[in-house]
């Protein structure tokens, strides 16, 4: 198994109410969050990328498969079902909210290596005892996600599953950097 056996699902169906517009459009140093994420994925050999969006906000970056979450108000978990359907044959899925673009490429590489060694486990980065993104989930867990919301989101879904969970300590504060407001970008 290697990086080509993985796909990434970028969760970008939020309206970005607190932000003022959908976060995939957010700009950091002349590039959108989605462009930043796509570059980092390419740098580690992840070429199969699905982006779950809302019907009224569809990006046009090439090389990405887009899928619409018809009920994005149900939350990020509801988007996973649609994104995973794009790549059901993959052995693992990198799950990445679009508002977490500041992780290091080396961190993603480290997570992929850990997943390859533990391909039936959930792999999550941890910085200073705080979990973050991206995470990697195995195919069997991904394919068990049903349409709709799940109380407590992906974290609770994983906890209720029988899958092993590995937190990988990383020296990368970007894994915990969630951008909710435009001012959060300037802090980075």
């Amino acid at each position: 198994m290697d990086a080509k056996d993985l796909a990434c699902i970028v969760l970008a169906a939020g309206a970005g109410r607190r932000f003022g517009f959908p976060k995939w459009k957010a700009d950091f140093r002349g590039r959108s969050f989605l462009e930043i994420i796509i570059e980092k994925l390419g740098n580690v050999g992840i070429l199969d990328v699905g982006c779950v969006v809302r019907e009224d906000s569809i990006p046009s970056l090439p090389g990405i498969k887009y899928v619409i979450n018809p009920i994005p108000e149900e939350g990020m978990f509801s988007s996973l079902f649609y994104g995973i359907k794009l790549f059901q044959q993959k052995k693992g899925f990198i799950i990445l909210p679009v508002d977490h673009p500041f992780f290091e490429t080396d961190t993603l590489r480290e997570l992929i290596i850990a997943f390859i060694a533990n391909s039936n486990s959930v792999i999550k980065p941890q910085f200073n005892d705080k979990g973050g993104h991206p995470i990697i989930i195995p195919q069997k867990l991904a394919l068990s996600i049903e349409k709709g919301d799940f109380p407590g989101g992906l974290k609770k879904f994983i906890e209720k599953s029988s899958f092993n969970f590995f937190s990988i300590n990383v020296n990368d504060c970007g894994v915990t950097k969630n951008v909710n407001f435009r001012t959060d970008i300037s802090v980075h």
Side-chain angles (χ1 to χ4, degrees):
M1 181 188 313
D2 60 24
K4 72 178 181 334
D5 294 313
L6 301 171
C8 180
I9 307 303
V10 180
L11 305 173
R17 286 183 208 43
R18 292 179 287 186
F19 199 77
F21 52 83
K23 293 178 192 174
W24 70 261
K25 296 180 181 181
D27 180 89
F28 181 71
R29 298 183 180 160
R31 297 183 315 154
S32 72
F33 282 6
L34 193 52
E35 289 171 311
I36 293 167
I37 289 169
I38 297 308
E39 179 181 325
K40 290 176 181 182
L41 291 167
N43 287 341
V44 297
I46 303 295
L47 304 177
D48 292 315
V49 181
C51 185
V52 186
V53 296
R54 55 190 312 110
E55 191 171 25
D56 61 354
S57 181
I58 303 172
S60 61
L61 290 175
I64 302 172
K65 290 184 178 183
Y66 297 99
V67 63
I68 294 170
N69 179 345
I71 311 172
E73 295 77 24
E74 287 187 346
M76 279 196 296
F77 186 85
S78 72
S79 289
L80 288 173
F81 173 81
Y82 299 102
I84 287 163
K85 283 202 158 300
L86 294 171
F87 304 105
Q88 294 183 56
Q89 77 286 3
K90 293 296 179 175
K91 294 180 181 170
F93 294 86
I94 300 166
I95 308 298
L96 186 56
V98 76
D99 60 2
H100 283 78
F102 297 120
F103 62 92
E104 303 282 335
T105 302
D106 285 342
T107 295
L108 182 55
R109 192 172 285 113
E110 190 175 339
L111 295 172
I112 291 169
I113 290 167
F115 181 76
I116 290 169
N118 302 281
S119 61
N120 288 316
S121 300
V122 176
I123 308 296
K124 186 170 186 170
Q126 184 171 296
F127 176 74
N128 288 344
D129 297 324
K130 185 177 179 191
H133 289 281
I135 70 167
I136 305 177
I137 64 174
Q139 178 191 48
K140 190 172 179 181
L141 178 62
L143 295 179
S144 72
I145 292 172
E146 297 178 0
K147 186 188 269 189
D149 198 8
F150 189 86
L154 183 59
K155 182 178 180 181
K156 287 291 182 194
F157 185 79
I158 292 168
E159 287 173 1
K160 288 187 178 249
S161 78
S162 60
F163 286 85
N164 290 332
F165 188 96
F166 288 105
S167 291
I168 307 298
N169 290 315
V170 296
N171 187 21
D172 178 2
C173 65
V175 301
T176 61
K177 181 74 173 150
N178 179 10
V179 178
N180 285 316
F181 303 96
R182 291 184 208 185
T183 53
D184 293 339
I185 297 171
S186 62
V187 175
H188 185 75

